[in-house]
Amino acid sequence: MITVAAEPFAYSFPPEKTALVVIDMQRDFVEPGGFGETLGNNVALLSAIVPTTAKLIGLFRDNGWTIVHTRESHSADLADCPPAKRLRGSPTLKIGDEGPMGRILIRGEPGNDIIPELAPLAGEIVIDKPGKGAFYATALGDILRLKGITHLVFAGVTTEVCVQTTMREANDRGYDCLLVEDATESYFPEFKAAAIAMIRAQGAIVGWTAPFATLEAAVREAK
Ligand code: TIU
């Protein structure tokens, strides 16, 4: 077991039964012209976590631990996109419309690619998810069960939307979850802070949180 000086108290994980889950670090959310910007957000805020997230992925790669990447995406015919999602609000472009990086939030389009700095390597698991949570309408739960995974470490965007939704889904399924604070970001800094606070409140009601350096130090000390 590796024990991290996390909040609200120590988080222990068996690395061979732990997966890193990197949520939706795709061009749609991080780069101008994608889904995030069509919703009215300043996407520049999200780039700040890329170097730390790359180090986190590197830590798992160097140790041969399981890595999962997710993408929020829909099929080209929009069969898995509820009209309620597509029609919500007043986006400048709707899901499926042609944008500067191809059709918005559609699987296989350039905008749906994970950003090059964090691109998955062969053998890493990539989950295409139509919802905010990565367990809904995907094979993620089955894949983790077959691999005997019991603990999940989370990174990605956005903290209070897809990251928090997936952590809550995972928590209800019995996984012990750690969120890496400086490897997750929101378009709304106050929502990121609130999400971190509510995840670890009430004795880690949803899970634990820690900065990357604290996780890295724990891994180093365990060697
Ligand atoms: N809009 C927003 O903050 N997030 C999403 O729509 N998806 C994810 O968080 N990935």
Side-chain angles (χ1 to χ4, degrees), residues 174-210:
Y175 295 94
D176 279 326
C177 299
L178 174 74
L179 174 61
V180 180
E181 295 165 14
D182 44 354
T184 183
E185 196 49 88
S186 169
Y187 300 120
F188 305 88
E190 68 276 27
F191 290 174
K192 172 181 174 176
I196 287 173
M198 64 178 77
I199 282 165
R200 67 191 188 198
Q202 304 181 65
I205 194 88
V206 176
W208 288 255
T209 79

Side-chain angles (χ1 to χ4, degrees), residues 15 18-20 22 25 50-69 114-126 212 215 219 223:
T18 301
L20 171 65
V22 184
M25 289 301 292
V50 172
T52 305
T53 307
K55 283 188 210 162
L56 175 60
I57 292 171
L59 180 71
F60 273 69
R61 275 182 190 151
D62 291 347
N63 285 286
W65 302 336
T66 300
I67 301 174
V68 178
H69 305 260
I114 292 172
I115 60 170
E117 300 94 316
L118 307 180
L121 294 184
E124 295 175 358
I125 299 156
V126 180
F212 173 68
L215 170 62
V219 172
K223 287 197 166 166

